[in-house]
């Protein structure tokens, strides 16, 4: 009987030792250490004060979510943002869909999360007096598009023209203008059509009660989302930790983002995983206009 008790007790002792060792081993797994500072930039705002006005509240919220310091780093454009990533001068960048395609191809930047933009479309508008009712009628005409590479006012409108059977290189004459110049040129009759994103149309036409002057001849399908991208230097575990925290706290982050200047476009946005295939439409347009070497 004593022998049996001894064996039982010894087995219980072994189980106890195994349990303690397993616990100790698990407790020795190093937690993921996030960077003490993240350098953040956007490609829409060129000056530090502009970034602060647009993303100051978002910066504060992001610092709380990640428990790290966020520092603004202004850049001139998406080319400068790509260079900053390559030279390790920036860690986190918010880019539009077209910029995402180019910067990712050049830098191997890591897509962190996408930010949806409900009702993000391109519009091609004409003067109501022109009598133009379709894109096909723009053959041989002058068209004002946005800055080179702008998804809503350049890349997507090119896709609309191509889908309508027009060759952007030979069937139309294209001018790349700022958003106010696009509308003014259309008003003056210097161009026959202008391309705008729906947000610009809402701000520059609807809110200014100028709808009676223009007709929308075409609207694009929903455009791909904006994207937060990370410097490729970060280890996968760090990327996943940052992504997880951001997605779990998205309500707080989106609320802070909407408070910024020019961020009305994110009014009904959500933070979602990035689906790279959604951006193939942009890649197709670049190839169609002879810029496929980007990829």
């Amino acid at each position: 009987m004593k022998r049996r008790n001894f064996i039982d007790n010894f087995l219980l002792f072994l189980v106890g030792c195994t349990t303690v060792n397993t616990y100790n081993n698990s407790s020795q797994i190093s937690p993921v250490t996030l960077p003490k500072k993240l350098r953040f930039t956007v490609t829409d705002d060129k000056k530090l004060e502009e970034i602060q006005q647009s993303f100051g509240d978002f910066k504060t919220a992001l610092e709380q979510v990640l428990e790290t310091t966020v520092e603004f780093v202004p850049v001139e454009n998406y080319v400068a943002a790509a260079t900053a990533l390559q030279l390790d001068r920036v860690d986190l960048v918010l880019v539009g869909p077209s910029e995402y395609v180019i910067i990712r191809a050049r830098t191997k930047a890591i897509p962190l999360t996408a930010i949806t933009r409900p009702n993000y479309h391109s519009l091609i508008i004409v003067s109501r007096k022109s009598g133009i009712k379709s894109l096909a009628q723009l053959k041989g005409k002058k068209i004002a598009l946005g800055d080179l590479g702008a998804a809503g006012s350049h890349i997507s409108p090119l896709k609309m023209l191509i889908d309508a059977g027009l060759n952007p290189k030979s069937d139309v004459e294209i001018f790349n203008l700022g958003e106010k110049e696009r509308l003014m040129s259309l008003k003056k009759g210097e161009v026959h059509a202008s391309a705008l994103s729906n947000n610009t149309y809402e701000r520059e036409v609807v809110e200014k009660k100028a709808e009676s002057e223009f007709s929308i001849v075409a609207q694009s399908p929903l455009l791909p989302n904006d994207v937060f991208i990370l410097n490729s230097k970060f280890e996968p575990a760090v990327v996943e930790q940052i992504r997880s925290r951001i997605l779990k706290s998205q309500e707080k982050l989106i609320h802070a983002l909407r408070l910024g200047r020019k961020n009305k476009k994110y009014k009904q946005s959500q933070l979602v995983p990035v689906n790279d295939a959604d951006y193939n439409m942009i890649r197709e347009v670049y190839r169609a206009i002879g810029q496929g070497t980007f990829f």
Side-chain angles (χ1 to χ4, degrees), residues 77-95:
N77 48 44
Y78 72 89
V79 176
T83 301
L85 283 166
Q86 290 173 323
L87 298 177
D88 193 22
R89 293 175 179 168
V90 69
D91 303 306
L92 178 65
V93 188
L94 175 60
V95 296

Side-chain angles (χ1 to χ4, degrees), residues 184-199:
M184 188 57 64
S185 295
L186 187 56
K187 284 183 178 181
K188 291 180 178 180
E190 296 171 346
V191 296
H192 300 92
S194 290
L196 306 170
S197 70
N198 65 296
N199 296 301

Side-chain angles (χ1 to χ4, degrees), residues 110-122:
I110 303 166
L112 184 64
T113 66
I115 176 168
T116 62
R117 289 180 58 178
N119 198 34
Y120 183 26
H121 300 273
S122 297

Side-chain angles (χ1 to χ4, degrees), residues 79-221:
V79 176
T83 301
L85 283 166
Q86 290 173 323
L87 298 177
D88 193 22
R89 293 175 179 168
V90 69
D91 303 306
L92 178 65
V93 188
L94 175 60
V95 296
S98 178
E99 296 159 334
Y100 163 74
V101 166
I102 296 175
I103 292 177
R104 179 157 165 74
R106 291 183 175 182
T107 69
K108 306 303 180 186
I110 303 166
L112 184 64
T113 66
I115 176 168
T116 62
R117 289 180 58 178
N119 198 34
Y120 183 26
H121 300 273
S122 297
L123 306 175
I124 294 181
I125 65 173
V126 298
S127 168
R128 285 191 183 273
K129 300 175 183 178
S130 68
I132 295 172
K133 304 293 183 182
S134 70
L135 293 181
Q137 291 177 269
L138 292 176
K139 187 170 183 177
K141 301 291 195 296
K142 298 177 180 179
I143 303 175
L145 303 186
D147 293 337
L148 294 172
S153 58
H154 181 237
I155 297 300
S156 175
L158 285 177
K159 178 79 162 57
M160 296 165 73
L161 294 174
I162 292 169
D163 290 346
L166 298 174
N167 186 328
K169 292 182 178 181
S170 59
D171 290 338
V172 293
E173 188 175 358
I174 290 175
F175 299 85
N176 295 101
L177 304 173
E179 58 185 36
K180 292 186 185 298
E181 289 97 339
R182 271 172 271 150
L183 281 172
M184 188 57 64
S185 295
L186 187 56
K187 284 183 178 181
K188 291 180 178 180
E190 296 171 346
V191 296
H192 300 92
S194 290
L196 306 170
S197 70
N198 65 296
N199 296 301
T200 300
Y201 182 82
E202 183 73 24
R203 185 176 63 252
E204 298 296 330
V205 178
V206 176
E207 292 182 7
K208 295 182 179 180
K209 303 186 185 307
E211 291 170 279
S212 60
E213 298 180 50
F214 307 106
S215 294
I216 298 172
V217 293
Q219 175 178 293
S220 75

Side-chain angles (χ1 to χ4, degrees), residues 244-262:
S244 176
R245 290 195 183 198
I246 285 177
L247 291 176
K248 286 179 180 177
S249 301
Q250 70 163 287
E251 186 174 339
K252 176 177 184 174
L253 292 171
I254 292 295
H255 173 74
L257 186 61
R258 288 200 301 261
L259 297 176
R261 180 184 69 96
K262 297 196 310 184

